[in-house]
Every structure is written in C-alpha cells, then in structure tokens.
Amino acid sequence: MSNSPSPRLVLAGNVIADLVIEVPALPERGGDVIGTRTELTAGGGFNTLVAARRLGAEAVFAGLHGTGPYGDLVRASLAAESVETMLPVREDGDTSFCVALVDAGGERTFVTSFGVDAHLTEAELAVVTGKLRPDDMVQLSGYGLVTPVNGPLLSRFAAQLPPSLTVCFDPAPLVADIPAELLDPVLARTDWLSCNAREGRLLTGRDDPAQAVAALRERLSPGAGILLRADKDGCWLAAPGEDPVHVPGFPVDAVDSNGAGDAHVGAFLALLGRGLDPLSAARGANASAAYAVTRRGPATAPDLAQLIAFLGDDPLAAQLSV
C-alpha cells in the first residue's frame, strides 16, 4: 500500500435526520398505533461518510444543512465522527428528516419531508467545485438525482468533473424514478458504480447478478468498475478491464441490516484510497458490512482495529495491518 496521503471522500449528497419508530404493525388508514421504541439519528449519506472515516479516510460532507433541530443533529453527528462540512449553514430552513416505521416483521415504511438540502443552488455547487482536490473521490447518490431542484444541478456537476477525480455513484432504491436525461450523464462519468441486486435489476432488467453486472458495463464508460452488493452472499465485482467475479461474504448472525449497504460503499472507497486493489477492497467492504449488521444502530461500521479483529487470521487482516 502507498504511504502517500489517502484521497478524501467527498459526499455531494444529503445527510438528513432519521426518526425511527418501531411499531407492532402499521395502523389502518385513520388509525393509530403505539410505538415500542423511538430513535432519532443522522441518516442518509451519514453512514457512508462514517464507514470511510473510521477506516482512516478523510471524509467531507459537501451537501446542505439547515437551521433547526435536525440541522443541529446532523452537524453534531458529523463532528462527533470528525467529518468536515464544506458548505456553511443555510438559514432559510431546517434539514430534511425521514420517519421510518419498522413493524414486527422488520419491514420498513418511510415518509420523507424535504428541507433546505433539497434546494441546492448553482452558486453552492460552484463553491463545492472550487474546494475539490485533484485526487478526491466524489460520492453521489440517486436520492439527489431524483429531487426536482437538485437532480439537474447534480447531473451537470458530475458530468463536468475533471478526469483526475474518482466519481462513485450509488443509484439508491429510487433509481427507476430518475429521468434518463439526468441519469445517463452521471453513469457516463461514473468510475465506480455500487448498487444492490434490486437496483441492478431495475437498471438492466436482469435478475442474475453476473448478467446484471455485464449489462451495467454497457451503460458505463469502458474504464469504470462495478460492485453489485448481494447482502449475505457478498458482492459481484467487475474491476476495470477484468471479468466479473463473485466475492463471498462473511457469515454472521445479523440483528440489524440498516445501513449495511452504506457501510459497504464507504469501506470499499476508503480501502481503495489506502492503496488496496479492488478485489481486496471488496473483501474488506464485505467484512465491514458483515460486522455492521451484527450491531443495532444506523452507523455501526467498524474502525480499522475492529475490522482487523473481525477478520482474524484472514490474510486481509495482515494486509490492513501494514
């Protein structure tokens, strides 16, 4: 691995407040139900930033954050993980929040209320562009592209980023709702695409992961890489210029899968930044996601020492210890 400073992970997306309420079952229309547990935490891209930061990457939030209790929560949560903010506080409203109702079967039902972070301006993106470093890794999410104001701005922003920067794109669950005129320029500029199996199917119409990866390559530039996350089965990796391979997962007893995909994305990018080859970084990302699902909470990705301990006598542990 290189001893030079690692590239920064810059999230050009949203960090919002998540209000999670556990309920026995969803109420009928017009009804009511008593929650059994409530938790208010930072969410959205927060988990990706934390996963990367805990593995030693410098992490920067380049999105908007407002004035009010949710903006305060976001800033305090970022500061607690040593994640910097790139833009100043917006004083014309609060940060977005999401209410997640979790029933007894673990099914999640979401309601999101947008705040100032859904209303980027050209001037704010110009500030972000001016603060980027030549070797930054810029993370984009489909959640940003699906919003009416941010979508066109972020699509143009991504398409115009210089080739020295690494653009990472996670299409997110609402990928089918992103207009093609916004999605296609981002895919054309993407250096690393990370999606789950459902998102891969929505993008390609293919159920088989290997076939989905092959079809995704047709939508990306020739030098792009792909990670298709398969939960407990690990992931499929198509490194630039190489055939797709299955990277096995790490068997664990999962207790909370919330944020596992974000932990995978953040860990993969952090490990790439440390100088690991894509296959080793993908194995480390699988391990980080497996570690995360054994703990309850929204941001449960491991730090480097915890990841090495989790790996045990796996050769990757020795590689990470250097």
Side-chain angles (χ1 to χ4, degrees), residues 2-315:
S2 172
N3 292 322
S4 61
S6 299
R8 295 189 304 179
L9 175 59
V10 178
L11 176 72
N14 296 345
V15 173
I16 68 174
D18 278 348
L19 176 60
V20 181
I21 307 175
E22 293 183 357
V23 295
L26 293 179
E28 63 182 6
R29 185 181 182 191
D32 196 355
V33 65
I34 304 299
T36 57
R37 189 180 75 88
T38 303
E39 184 178 28
L40 179 63
T41 64
F46 177 71
N47 298 330
T48 300
L49 289 167
V50 168
R53 184 73 191 95
R54 289 180 181 172
L55 293 181
E58 187 178 354
V60 181
F61 173 48
L64 295 174
H65 43 108
T67 304
Y70 301 128
D72 291 344
L73 171 68
V74 162
R75 283 185 292 276
S77 300
L78 291 169
E81 295 287 345
S82 300
V83 177
E84 302 173 17
T85 55
M86 188 174 281
L87 293 172
V89 178
R90 277 275 291 265
E91 298 183 353
D92 55 337
D94 205 351
T95 291
S96 299
F97 70 94
C98 175
V99 177
L101 300 177
V102 186
D103 66 25
E107 186 67 31
R108 293 173 177 266
T109 302
F110 300 96
V111 180
T112 300
S113 176
F114 286 126
V116 295
D117 41 316
H119 299 279
L120 270 168
T121 67
E122 292 273 11
E124 286 162 335
L125 273 180
V127 170
V128 172
T129 302
K131 292 185 176 181
L132 291 175
R133 298 175 185 170
D135 62 346
D136 278 341
M137 298 183 292
V138 178
Q139 172 73 15
L140 294 166
S141 168
Y143 282 118
L145 294 180
V146 81
T147 55
V149 175
N150 290 8
L153 292 176
L154 288 170
S155 180
R156 290 197 297 273
F157 165 78
Q160 295 169 3
L161 289 175
S164 66
L165 278 75
T166 300
V167 176
C168 320
F169 180 54
D170 185 342
L174 296 177
V175 61
D177 298 326
I178 303 173
E181 63 269 22
L182 303 184
L183 179 61
D184 290 345
V186 174
L187 291 176
R189 179 58 188 85
T190 294
D191 296 296
W192 279 103
L193 175 73
S194 179
C195 64
N196 63 28
R198 174 184 176 273
E199 294 154 6
R201 183 175 69 252
L202 291 173
L203 282 166
T204 65
R206 308 292 178 87
D207 288 314
D208 179 78
Q211 292 180 5
V213 169
L216 284 169
R217 274 198 151 153
E218 299 299 319
R219 302 195 65 178
L220 303 174
S221 64
I226 301 167
L227 277 175
L228 191 147
R229 307 185 303 270
D231 300 325
K232 63 182 178 61
D233 294 325
C235 65
W236 285 81
L237 168 70
E242 298 182 12
D243 293 333
V245 295
H246 177 240
V247 186
F250 291 78
V252 293
D253 293 324
V255 299
D256 186 354
S257 62
N258 187 31
D262 295 328
H264 196 280
V265 174
F268 177 75
L269 297 176
L271 295 175
L272 278 184
R274 286 177 62 88
L276 269 67
D277 62 273
L279 179 58
S280 297
R283 293 194 67 246
N286 285 351
S288 292
Y291 178 98
V293 302
T294 64
R295 287 154 174 79
R296 294 192 181 277
T300 53
D303 62 26
L304 188 59
Q306 290 167 333
L307 179 58
I308 291 171
F310 176 82
L311 288 165
D313 60 0
D314 189 291

